[in-house]
Amino acid sequence: MATGAVTPPPPPPAAGARRGVRARGILHRRLAASSMKDESVISTNGGNEEMVTDSLNVARGLSHPGLSSSLSNKASVVPTPLLPNEPSDLRFNRLRPSIDESKYKRLFDCYVAREAVIDEEYWIAAWLRAEDHFEGQSGNRYVESFKRKFASQEFHALKKRCSKQHGEKYICFVAVKNDDLRRTVLNSVVGTLDVCVRHPLHGEKFPEEPGRSSLHCRIYQPDQPKFGYLTNVCVAKYARRQGIASNMLLLAIDAARINGAENIYIHVHKDNLPAWRLYNQIGFKMVDQDGARHSSDLCLLTFGS
């Protein structure tokens, strides 16, 4: 199961930031005078505390996205560099959507698992996956660039997959904090996973492993039962051990059933013991070794067969 703190990449450095101590002092005074600040702003609204945090608080590599920094940000639209010079209108100070905007949702403790509905949630889901993919490589001087490129590619691919109208039903789920505070999207999303519901392709018996090129033609078998396939299970490092992954999985299973899936599959690394325990607890069982192709590292599990 993937983990990692949500730390979207920082915007380009401000112009004039290297013009000496005096220039930096002027820049800081100007930023301090702006109406939008990077630090958490607590106000009162009908007895409820309101927390609004801009995106720079996590752009500096903080492990908890709810923490803030002492600097300020003048721009309300963060030019998040998905790729160098790539335009973006992602706004990480945007307030989280209402849970009523999602068709699928599952409430538990102080969280809600639901369908992602806005681009900023897709981006944070992609960044969680980038954090997990490059976990343990902090000593690599280029790792931040690698993560940024990975997240950008995953963000666009994820939106494309979820926009498909025929052949496949693809849904990105996110786990979001559910409380009375007015939180930004950035301070809300703590986990994500994807589910794909479709008919098997011609010649296909089980889902292919992630990253393995399919050897089957892209023609579906509509006379065969649909199946659901779960991928990209990620939970932010600071939010683990709170039942987030299990509730996202249960919601995804319910959504797959609603969309006609008979069996639900997921791949798990043979050495990922916490994931094994989680999937076994929910009810996943290993697919017969004679019936599915297993790599040396991944095993295919099924729910409902």
Side-chain angles (χ1 to χ4, degrees), residues 10 34 56 63 70 80 99 112 119 126 151 171 175 177 214 225 245 267 291:
S34 64
L56 288 182
S63 60
S70 60
T80 305
I99 62 174
V112 57
D119 284 356
I171 307 172
K177 295 176 184 177
S214 176
H267 277 100

Side-chain angles (χ1 to χ4, degrees), residues 76-295:
S76 60
V77 178
V78 180
T80 305
L82 301 177
L83 286 175
N85 302 321
E86 182 177 355
S88 170
D89 59 355
L90 296 175
R91 294 184 293 114
F92 292 115
N93 60 344
R94 182 175 180 175
L95 295 179
R96 63 185 173 188
S98 167
I99 62 174
D100 297 330
E101 297 182 35
S102 299
K103 178 179 179 180
Y104 309 98
K105 48 185 172 287
R106 179 185 179 90
L107 282 76
F108 59 99
D109 297 333
C110 59
Y111 300 98
V112 57
R114 58 170 176 77
E115 183 179 3
V117 295
I118 59 176
D119 284 356
E120 286 80 1
E121 291 176 334
Y122 287 118
W123 167 254
I124 297 175
W127 188 259
L128 273 173
R129 298 164 193 183
E131 287 278 325
D132 174 71
H133 187 78
F134 292 98
E135 187 174 1
Q137 300 185 34
S138 58
N140 188 329
R141 62 183 297 186
Y142 302 110
V143 68
E144 291 302 319
S145 296
F146 293 156
K147 287 193 290 187
R148 183 175 300 171
K149 182 176 180 180
F150 183 100
S152 175
Q153 293 173 342
E154 175 63 16
F155 170 69
H156 293 296
L158 180 58
K159 289 189 62 180
K160 184 177 179 179
R161 293 193 298 265
C162 291
S163 64
K164 282 188 176 181
Q165 301 295 324
H166 304 287
E168 298 180 359
K169 176 66 174 179
Y170 204 99
I171 307 172
C172 174
F173 290 105
V174 291
V176 180
K177 295 176 184 177
N178 185 34
D179 50 33
D180 294 331
L181 299 179
R182 294 184 62 198
R183 296 184 182 272
T184 61
V185 176
L186 189 66
N187 282 329
S188 300
V189 179
V190 296
T192 179
L193 69 78
D194 299 336
V195 60
C196 176
V197 179
R198 63 177 175 84
H199 292 285
L201 302 174
H202 276 281
E204 181 185 39
K205 189 174 183 181
F206 296 102
E208 293 286 349
E209 296 173 3
R212 183 188 293 272
S213 298
S214 176
L215 300 178
H216 312 292
C217 62
R218 301 298 299 180
I219 301 177
Y220 298 100
Q221 302 181 76
D223 58 328
Q224 297 297 316
K226 289 183 178 180
F227 64 78
Y229 183 56
L230 309 179
T231 56
N232 297 317
V233 184
C234 300
V235 177
K237 188 175 182 180
Y238 74 92
R240 292 179 299 177
R241 300 184 182 279
Q242 299 184 60
I244 293 172
S246 59
N247 279 277
M248 288 194 301
L249 286 164
L250 292 172
L251 175 62
I253 290 171
D254 289 343
R257 296 288 198 204
I258 292 173
N259 285 277
E262 289 192 6
N263 295 325
I264 292 92
Y265 298 97
I266 191 169
H267 277 100
V268 60
H269 195 281
K270 66 177 184 179
D271 296 328
N272 193 342
L273 298 183
W276 275 102
R277 288 193 293 267
L278 171 63
Y279 299 148
N280 288 334
Q281 190 176 42
I282 290 177
F284 281 91
K285 304 295 181 183
M286 182 180 290
V287 174
D288 184 4
Q289 292 281 348
D290 296 332
R293 179 175 62 183
H294 297 270
S295 73

